Amino acid sequence: MTTSASLLATASVLCAVGGILMLTRPLTRILLGAVIAGNGINLFVIAAGGRAGAEPLLYGVPLGRVTDPLPQAIALTAIVITLATTAFLLAMAYRGSQLTGTDEVHDDQEDRRIILRAEVLGERAELRERYRATPGATPEERARYRAERQRLRARLRADRALQARGRYATGDLWHDVLGADPEDYAPPSAPAEDTDPGATG
């Protein structure tokens, strides 16, 4: 089986560019990376079928000169899947930019909290071992130990406060799961007061 070197080189470049774009933060670049990488993979699949030959008809064509139709069918299926993925990512990017003003993918807050807690616990264990290694601790060392423990506790408390401020639920399942429009989060305006003292209801 012979394949085109230029086709393989083009597919490699497309896959590399698409992979680099998919490692970025903005959803629009991730979308472009998915489309470009999908085209590169389609070229790889088509190149796996060998060079072009005769039509894969049932009768009248020698089997040795027939083109393998399976890579072409797989490429057509991949094109349809890429179209659906593109529509989904476009909807996510539009909704994210509508709610937050940017289409960047942010860090998962729960993962960040778990990492911070692991770091604090590790520093606390190291601090405890260092403190216990010196049996005759002076009052200054004990005060420094307590200050370090308080600093670690303050880091955890500050992160919990940040998490609490970041959580906002309106009680509406549709809005909380799918996201509401920004104007839905605006505080209700106060009713206009009647300034005329002589007016009667």
Side-chain angles (χ1 to χ4, degrees), residues 25-182:
R25 292 277 187 169
L27 268 176
T28 50
R29 291 187 182 179
I30 295 173
L31 171 62
L32 287 175
V35 172
I36 292 173
N39 289 331
I41 293 170
N42 288 341
L43 286 180
F44 271 128
V45 171
I46 291 174
R51 62 180 182 179
E55 298 82 1
L57 299 177
L58 187 58
Y59 301 107
V61 179
L63 293 179
R65 297 195 299 115
V66 169
T67 301
D68 188 6
L70 183 60
Q72 300 176 20
I74 292 175
L76 286 174
T77 306
I79 289 171
V80 176
I81 295 172
T82 303
L83 178 63
T85 306
T86 302
F88 176 70
L89 288 176
L90 275 176
M92 285 184 60
Y94 173 73
R95 192 62 179 168
S97 63
Q98 189 181 25
L99 292 178
T100 63
T102 179
D103 64 339
E104 287 194 2
V105 179
H106 301 289
D107 291 331
D108 188 11
Q109 298 297 325
E110 189 67 21
D111 287 346
R112 192 178 64 81
R113 187 183 65 82
I114 291 172
I115 292 172
L116 177 63
R117 184 171 179 80
E119 289 178 358
V120 169
L121 290 177
E123 290 182 15
R124 185 185 297 173
E126 182 183 350
L127 181 66
R128 188 182 298 118
E129 289 297 324
R130 203 167 55 230
Y131 178 72
R132 289 177 178 173
T134 57
T138 62
E140 292 83 8
E141 291 176 346
R142 285 196 292 270
R144 194 179 308 119
Y145 172 71
R146 286 193 294 269
E148 285 294 323
R149 284 181 61 91
Q150 289 176 357
R151 181 185 63 83
L152 294 176
R153 286 198 200 100
R155 282 184 64 187
L156 286 179
R157 280 197 295 268
D159 185 70
R160 289 194 198 103
L162 179 65
Q163 295 290 329
R165 286 195 302 271
R167 294 192 192 100
Y168 179 80
T170 61
D172 189 341
L173 181 63
W174 178 268
H175 285 179
D176 292 342
V177 174
L178 299 179
D181 293 325

